[in-house]
């Protein structure tokens, strides 16, 4: 229908353009945010102990993949979807809608905005950077313990020397009363001797907070 000039309704095209101009930035979901990924890299590179990004895990129980590679892949996928595809939808949906019937115009206009927000995380489901990095560092510790027959003592001294350790910012974030519940699952993990892995991670001397560059 988009190739049939006779079916083009210019009133719908103008209306769709107005919708795009007024609502598309808000209703099409959040755009690609490069600053977020730079913050992830900065948090990892400022680690004086072992960097989380250099730690590898087994993808599908067979393929070794580093967290740094995973972050890069997620960044590229974020760019493709939330920058490239988002722009294509933003600038082409008025062409699609201008050949629709009145009822289909309303339905498809709503559907476009609904589909582009399906991957957005809002409100209480979103996680702060400090929470995510703290969870990743625990995952690294748990991976080392699991690889040594779930015995913390076999890796405890090595982990105290090399880490990765929590930063002082992360320790302060975890210690707040409103955040303690976010790490209840980690606090329940114990090794074969009943030692709490989360307590071990918190007992390590925290790294200094990353320096904030001056103006």
């Amino acid at each position: 229908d988009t190739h049939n000039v006779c079916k083009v309704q210019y009133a719908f095209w103008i209306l769709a353009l107005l919708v795009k101009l007024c609502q598309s930035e808000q209703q099409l979901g959040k755009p690609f945010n490069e600053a977020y990924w730079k913050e992830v890299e900065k948090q990892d590179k400022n680690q004086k102990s072992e960097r989380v990004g250099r730690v590898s895990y087994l993808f599908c129980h067979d393929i070794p993949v580093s967290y740094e590679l995973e972050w890069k892949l997620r960044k590229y996928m974020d760019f493709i979807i939330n920058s490239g595809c988002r722009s294509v939808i933003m600038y082409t949906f008025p062409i699609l809608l201008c050949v629709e019937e009145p009822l289909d115009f309303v339905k498809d206009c709503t559907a476009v905005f609904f589909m582009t927000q399906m991957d957005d995380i809002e409100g209480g489901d979103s996680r702060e950077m400090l929470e995510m990095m703290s969870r990743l560092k625990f995952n690294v510790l748990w991976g080392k313990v699991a690889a040594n027959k779930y015995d913390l003592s076999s890796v405890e001294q090595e982990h105290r020397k090399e880490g990765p350790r929590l930063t002082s910012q992360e320790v302060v974030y975890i210690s707040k009363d409103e955040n303690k519940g976010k790490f209840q699952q980690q606090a329940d993990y114990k090794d074969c001797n009943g030692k709490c892995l989360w307590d071990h991670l918190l007992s390590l001397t925290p790294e200094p907070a990353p320096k904030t560059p001056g103006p």
Side-chain angles (χ1 to χ4, degrees):
D1 288 344
T2 54
H3 297 283
N4 189 344
V5 178
C6 298
K7 290 192 175 183
V8 174
Q9 301 187 55
Y10 292 101
F12 282 175
W13 177 70
I14 293 172
L15 184 58
L17 282 178
L18 291 174
V19 171
K20 182 185 84 67
L21 292 172
C22 298
Q23 294 295 325
S24 61
E25 283 296 329
Q26 293 77 23
Q27 297 299 322
L28 281 176
K30 295 178 180 178
F32 172 71
N33 184 3
E34 187 175 7
Y36 171 84
W37 295 107
K38 286 183 177 180
E39 180 64 21
V40 172
E41 294 175 0
K42 186 186 80 171
Q43 290 283 343
D44 187 48
K45 288 179 179 178
N46 283 329
Q47 285 280 142
K48 289 181 170 47
S49 59
E50 181 183 15
R51 286 174 51 189
V52 175
R54 292 179 177 173
V55 177
S56 296
Y57 64 94
L58 291 179
F59 177 70
C60 294
H61 305 283
D62 190 40
I63 306 171
V65 177
S66 68
Y67 283 109
E68 191 171 31
L69 177 59
E70 180 186 343
W71 294 337
K72 288 180 179 179
L73 291 174
R74 286 178 179 270
K75 176 182 176 180
Y76 297 146
M77 289 187 288
D78 184 13
F79 175 77
I80 291 170
I81 297 300
N82 291 320
S83 182
C85 294
R86 184 177 184 274
S87 296
V88 169
I89 293 173
M90 182 186 300
Y91 293 109
T92 59
F93 83 80
I95 301 173
L96 172 67
L97 296 179
C98 73
V99 296
E100 299 280 9
E101 297 297 328
L103 186 59
D104 291 333
F105 176 89
V106 176
K107 172 178 65 70
D108 290 341
C109 190
T110 305
V112 166
F113 293 141
F114 170 74
M115 289 187 297
T116 53
Q117 295 187 66
M118 289 181 68
D119 65 338
D120 284 356
I121 300 177
E122 300 291 347
D125 292 330
S126 61
R127 290 178 179 172
E128 296 182 46
M129 184 73 66
L130 294 174
E131 179 185 354
M132 290 190 293
M133 293 303 293
S134 300
R135 286 172 176 267
L136 279 177
K137 290 172 183 178
F138 176 83
N139 290 347
V140 172
L141 173 60
W142 172 248
K144 290 180 178 181
V145 173
N148 286 272
K149 300 180 180 180
Y150 300 96
D151 185 3
L152 175 61
S153 60
S154 61
V155 299
E156 188 170 4
Q157 293 302 320
E158 176 190 353
H159 193 263
R160 285 188 181 278
K161 292 179 181 178
E162 299 181 3
R165 302 195 305 272
L166 298 170
T167 65
S168 55
Q169 282 182 329
E170 290 162 353
V171 172
V172 170
Y173 177 83
I174 293 168
S175 63
K176 292 181 178 179
D177 291 337
E178 62 268 24
N179 295 329
K180 288 182 178 179
K182 298 177 181 179
F183 302 96
Q184 186 57 51
Q185 183 180 10
Q186 283 72 23
D188 292 337
Y189 276 76
K190 293 178 173 57
D191 74 344
C192 61
N193 299 312
K195 293 181 180 178
C196 179
L197 274 66
W198 187 240
D199 288 344
H200 164 74
L201 190 62
L202 289 172
S203 70
L204 302 179
T205 303
E207 292 197 355
K211 294 181 180 180
T212 303

